Amino acid sequence: MTVQSNNDGSTGEQRDDGVTMASIHDVARVAGVSISTVSYALSGKRSIAESTRRRVEDAVRQLDYRPNAGARMLKGARTNILALSAPLHAATHAPAHMTFVLAVARAARAYDFDILLLTQDEATSGIRRVARSSLVDGILLLDVSSDDERAPLLRELGLPAAVIGIPDDVTGLTCVDLDFEKAAQMCVTRLVGQGHRQIALLGQDPAVYERRSNFPPRFRDAFLAEADRLGVGTFFTPAKEDTASVAEALAAIDGALPGLDALVMHANEPVQSMVLDLLRQRGIRVPQDLSVISACSSFDTDHLHPALDVVPLPADRSCTRAIELTMAQLGTRSAPSDAVPHVELIEPEYIELGSTASRTPA
Amino acid sequence: MTVQSNNDGSTGEQRDDGVTMASIHDVARVAGVSISTVSYALSGKRSIAESTRRRVEDAVRQLDYRPNAGARMLKGARTNILALSAPLHAATHAPAHMTFVLAVARAARAYDFDILLLTQDEATSGIRRVARSSLVDGILLLDVSSDDERAPLLRELGLPAAVIGIPDDVTGLTCVDLDFEKAAQMCVTRLVGQGHRQIALLGQDPAVYERRSNFPPRFRDAFLAEADRLGVGTFFTPAKEDTASVAEALAAIDGALPGLDALVMHANEPVQSMVLDLLRQRGIRVPQDLSVISACSSFDTDHLHPALDVVPLPADRSCTRAIELTMAQLGTRSAPSDAVPHVELIEPEYIELGSTASRTPA
DNA sequence: CTGAAAGCGCTTACAG
DNA sequence: CTGAAAGCGCTTACAG
């Protein structure tokens, strides 16, 4: 480590002097009113003479006043902070994960809430810590597994909370997630409706299925069940994120379904990209020779070659809804039913971009 | 959106009743001491009779007491929260970004600080908001551009802060970053030392260079300058993250450097993976026919085929150091020089994994 | 070694 | 329509 330059230390003092924080007393003094008037003028919780309000607002602007967060928490019983427990597991796709984290932060800001980030290392202890110190008003869980240890903790704490994803035991919890079953059925129904008779599913890393994640198996099982129900040939294979593994998966599909006419991919972007490369190399045209659908993808499929039909993973909608439900539990403007623990499944949407085509019976 | 089930609402009440928060008064009562004794017993700021301390600790455990964060902030003038401004720009590689975010959070926890996440939408206004409301004790900046608008804001606010990355004007700022120049020189020196005479650099997405990011040009310029200085042939080309663009970049390199014997990649993981695939397809062996180095990569290169020599992007070290420097500004145990604004460059490290080989003169 | 009390900056009944 | 005052739960001089 090299200290390259010691540039001018215009600020050396320890605490933020120079830039002094104005208090409500300063505002009151400048505006020539009492502090309670300032407080009410800002909260709007009682009627204020127009002229008074204006003077207060001027003073606020002049002093760049912002209520002290600590005082507000202490008195207001509301911290306006939500904890986001966002473990990043090995098999979690980072870009997708990041999308959810940012979507939660954005949705929370719409209600004037900030997000405190809790990581893997501190999964349950961190949640417990911030909850018991009244640092946060509520808790959001990301990336939940079927037997997630954070679920019982949420029940124990009884704080406003929402889970993005669905653990096995949802008692007392508010959960939001894409309806993966319906998404799978949607893909199968469409393909079969178009006359496809041999449809394969290329899934995520095998580790994802073996372990904890709950939605990939949900998608897979619904896919296979629906294909069976409709009497078409079907086959599932996972794939790791490297060319060799992807090639192997395609070979396995070829072996199992010699007349393959449609492929659904529930996989990360690089994998989908590799598959398209391999198809191109083999001269297999999409959709003329093979219909392809990208399922529950968190990325834009219109950059792919070719652009793929997609049932998007609606991170924004899930996160927005999770925040809404947390706010409802906090008693903010909302339908009363939103405040009650329940599981909410988000309706999947099918977006056509031309990567599937009808098979006319030969 | 479908409401699937209304499972038992074991917690219906608005605020966290049932699970009542114990206050310092409760602890004092249970322990049979005054509240100041409780406070001192916990902070260790004055000596306490061993028996008293034990009774206090028992009471704390029994009540699962944790000091109220709001009260602590209000009085203690310390919130134990740092703001992390982490915009996610289009050209930013999400996995790398996530690595930094998590590393910052982890490092902060080592000092008992939490991380408040500020996003893109609110870049400067969010920083201003949390600073003026005294919600945070300090600020961390991620993903800074040369002319980042957050840099002058940090100067204005005068709060403890650290920047990960180096903006053009570093006056009054504390910045930490990998020494990209030295990393580039390290790669060139090694390759030239091994007898390579035609070394190419395959870089990031062209947008990254056109726009705001400051470190990719730093690496590129140092690379080209050092190659010139040592009198070897050199060529730079950016590459987008798709097979076509990567193939094009390799073609451009072939055209410019017909006798190419070494390739350095400062690019995302998928791009590096694609390059290796293409080399393999063309029968170019690494390192026998071509030496390859992965530069400033935030991922493990030993999963690649073949594993690549790498100068890692040390997210952990940068983030840990940034937190240390922020803590120093807050007056926590530290070298006095750490508290003064300065730029700190992290020494790059070269890790050999066998993807370069000496060229014996023909 | 310990306690009583002031005060951090707010919000919100209570009075007028 | 507005103000004086209590009190949220801590920390930290001040006293003993």
Side-chain angles (χ1 to χ4, degrees):
Chain A
M1 231 163 277
T2 322
V3 172
Q4 193 192 45
S5 69
N6 262 20
N7 42 48
D8 133 354
S10 65
T11 160
E13 302 78 39
Q14 219 62 284
R15 303 296 299 151
D16 36 48
D17 0 25
V19 187
T20 2
M21 300 295 162
S23 82
I24 196 172
H25 288 99
D26 300 319
V27 178
R29 187 166 26 71
V30 170
V33 296
S34 72
I35 61 159
S36 45
T37 298
V38 173
S39 179
Y40 284 118
L42 293 179
S43 70
K45 288 196 179 167
R46 79 180 180 194
S47 41
I48 298 280
E50 189 45 39
S51 65
T52 308
R53 182 210 307 293
R54 213 170 352 245
R55 269 185 299 142
V56 170
E57 280 168 359
D58 285 348
V60 165
R61 237 187 316 278
Q62 183 188 324
L63 298 169
D64 192 14
Y65 167 72
R66 207 129 352 187
N68 178 285
R72 207 171 199 177
M73 287 185 199
L74 185 53
K75 191 59 202 174
R78 187 68 68 85
T79 68
N80 276 36
I81 301 178
L82 299 176
L84 173 62
S85 173
L88 182 61
H89 295 104
T92 309
H93 194 49
H97 196 256
M98 197 69 202
T99 305
F100 277 90
V101 169
L102 294 178
V104 166
R106 198 165 302 137
R109 285 304 304 145
Y111 289 86
D112 198 31
F113 274 69
D114 274 298
I115 290 297
L116 197 84
L117 193 65
L118 262 27
T119 61
Q120 177 75 27
D121 320 291
E122 256 203 332
T124 55
S125 66
I127 292 174
R128 182 164 260 126
R129 176 174 59 80
V130 297
R132 298 240 21 124
S133 63
S134 300
L135 219 195
V136 303
D137 294 327
I139 301 167
L140 269 341
L141 257 43
L142 227 52
D143 209 1
V144 294
S145 59
S146 345
D147 59 345
D148 208 296
E149 52 177 0
R150 297 170 296 168
L153 176 57
L154 244 45
R155 276 189 283 273
E156 173 195 334
L157 292 173
L159 269 187
V163 177
I164 296 169
I166 305 182
D168 284 346
D169 182 359
V170 296
T171 317
L173 299 180
T174 291
C175 306
V176 181
D177 207 358
L178 175 66
D179 192 335
F180 284 93
E181 281 84 359
K182 200 174 275 183
Q185 290 158 6
M186 207 174 235
C187 295
V188 174
T189 310
R190 176 182 176 93
L191 293 172
V192 172
Q194 288 179 323
H196 298 90
R197 307 294 304 162
Q198 301 283 318
I199 66 183
L201 172 60
L202 187 144
Q204 316 234 334
D205 192 295
V208 170
Y209 297 89
E210 286 157 20
R211 259 184 265 167
R212 35 170 310 288
S213 252
N214 79 91
F215 67 89
R218 271 158 61 202
F219 187 91
R220 177 198 56 194
D221 296 345
F223 182 95
L224 297 175
E226 184 70 1
D228 273 353
R229 202 178 66 78
L230 297 178
V232 298
T234 188
F235 179 73
F236 163 80
T237 176
K240 279 196 263 195
E241 190 176 320
D242 63 73
T243 321
S245 172
V246 169
E248 209 174 291
L250 289 185
I253 291 174
D254 275 343
L257 296 178
L260 182 76
D261 51 13
L263 174 65
V264 173
M265 300 193 278
H266 183 203
N268 297 335
E269 179 162 22
V271 169
Q272 302 201 16
S273 182
M274 289 176 202
V275 168
L276 295 180
D277 283 350
L278 288 173
L279 293 178
R280 210 175 309 118
Q281 282 170 31
R282 298 181 190 175
I284 299 174
R285 297 164 305 162
V286 176
Q288 295 87 337
D289 305 322
L290 185 70
S291 289
V292 178
I293 299 177
S294 176
C296 311
S297 304
S298 59
F299 51 89
D300 280 341
T301 55
D302 50 8
H303 301 313
L304 297 174
H305 308 291
L308 295 185
D309 281 21
V310 61
V311 178
L313 185 65
D316 269 325
R317 285 181 66 201
S318 300
C319 294
T320 304
R321 192 62 189 141
I323 291 287
E324 276 174 22
L325 294 172
T326 309
M327 292 300 135
Q329 293 168 54
L330 278 163
T332 315
R333 43 181 160 132
S334 67
S337 63
D338 281 0
V340 175
H342 66 281
V343 173
E344 211 167 282
L345 295 179
I346 296 195
E347 203 69 34
E349 233 184 313
Y350 190 96
I351 297 180
E352 288 198 29
L353 291 171
S355 65
T356 67
S358 287
R359 298 283 168 257
T360 41
Chain B
M1 230 163 281
T2 322
V3 173
Q4 192 194 43
S5 69
N6 263 19
N7 43 47
D8 132 355
S10 66
T11 160
E13 304 79 38
Q14 219 61 287
R15 304 295 298 152
D16 34 49
D17 359 27
V19 187
T20 2
M21 299 296 161
S23 82
I24 195 171
H25 287 100
D26 301 318
V27 177
R29 188 165 25 72
V30 170
V33 297
S34 73
I35 61 159
S36 44
T37 297
V38 174
S39 180
Y40 285 118
L42 294 178
S43 71
K45 290 197 178 167
R46 80 179 180 195
S47 40
I48 299 281
E50 189 46 37
S51 64
T52 308
R53 183 210 306 293
R54 214 170 351 244
R55 270 184 299 143
V56 170
E57 280 168 0
D58 285 349
V60 165
R61 236 186 318 275
Q62 182 188 325
L63 298 169
D64 192 15
Y65 167 73
R66 206 130 352 188
N68 177 285
R72 207 170 199 178
M73 288 186 199
L74 185 53
K75 190 60 203 177
R78 190 66 69 85
T79 69
N80 276 38
I81 301 178
L82 299 176
L84 173 62
S85 173
L88 182 59
H89 295 106
T92 309
H93 195 50
H97 196 257
M98 198 68 203
T99 306
F100 277 90
V101 169
L102 293 178
V104 166
R106 198 165 302 136
R109 285 303 305 145
Y111 289 86
D112 198 30
F113 274 69
D114 274 298
I115 290 297
L116 198 84
L117 192 66
L118 262 26
T119 61
Q120 177 76 28
D121 320 292
E122 256 204 333
T124 55
S125 66
I127 292 173
R128 182 163 258 126
R129 176 173 59 79
V130 297
R132 299 244 15 127
S133 63
S134 301
L135 218 195
V136 302
D137 295 327
I139 301 168
L140 268 345
L141 257 44
L142 228 52
D143 207 3
V144 294
S145 60
S146 343
D147 60 344
D148 207 296
E149 53 177 2
R150 296 170 297 169
L153 176 57
L154 243 46
R155 276 190 282 273
E156 174 195 333
L157 292 174
L159 270 187
V163 176
I164 296 169
I166 304 182
D168 286 346
D169 182 359
V170 296
T171 317
L173 299 180
T174 291
C175 306
V176 181
D177 208 358
L178 175 64
D179 191 335
F180 284 93
E181 281 84 0
K182 201 173 275 184
Q185 289 158 8
M186 205 173 236
C187 295
V188 174
T189 310
R190 176 181 176 93
L191 292 172
V192 173
Q194 288 179 324
H196 299 90
R197 308 295 304 163
Q198 303 280 319
I199 65 183
L201 172 60
L202 187 144
Q204 317 234 334
D205 191 296
V208 170
Y209 296 90
E210 288 157 20
R211 258 183 267 166
R212 35 170 309 289
S213 251
N214 79 91
F215 67 88
R218 270 159 61 201
F219 187 91
R220 177 197 57 194
D221 296 345
F223 183 95
L224 297 175
E226 184 69 0
D228 273 355
R229 202 178 67 77
L230 296 180
V232 298
T234 187
F235 179 72
F236 164 81
T237 177
K240 280 196 262 197
E241 191 177 319
D242 62 72
T243 321
S245 172
V246 169
E248 211 175 289
L250 289 185
I253 291 174
D254 276 343
L257 296 178
L260 182 77
D261 51 13
L263 174 66
V264 174
M265 300 194 279
H266 183 202
N268 297 335
E269 180 163 19
V271 169
Q272 301 201 17
S273 182
M274 290 175 202
V275 168
L276 294 180
D277 283 350
L278 288 172
L279 293 177
R280 210 174 309 118
Q281 282 171 32
R282 297 181 190 175
I284 300 175
R285 297 163 306 163
V286 176
Q288 295 88 335
D289 306 321
L290 185 71
S291 289
V292 178
I293 299 177
S294 175
C296 310
S297 305
S298 58
F299 51 90
D300 280 342
T301 55
D302 51 8
H303 300 312
L304 297 173
H305 308 291
L308 295 184
D309 281 20
V310 62
V311 179
L313 185 65
D316 269 325
R317 286 182 63 201
S318 300
C319 294
T320 304
R321 192 61 190 143
I323 291 287
E324 276 175 22
L325 293 173
T326 309
M327 291 300 134
Q329 294 168 53
L330 278 165
T332 316
R333 43 182 160 131
S334 67
S337 64
D338 280 0
V340 175
H342 67 281
V343 173
E344 211 167 281
L345 296 179
I346 296 196
E347 202 69 33
E349 232 184 314
Y350 191 96
I351 296 179
E352 289 198 30
L353 292 171
S355 65
T356 68
S358 289
R359 298 283 167 258
T360 42

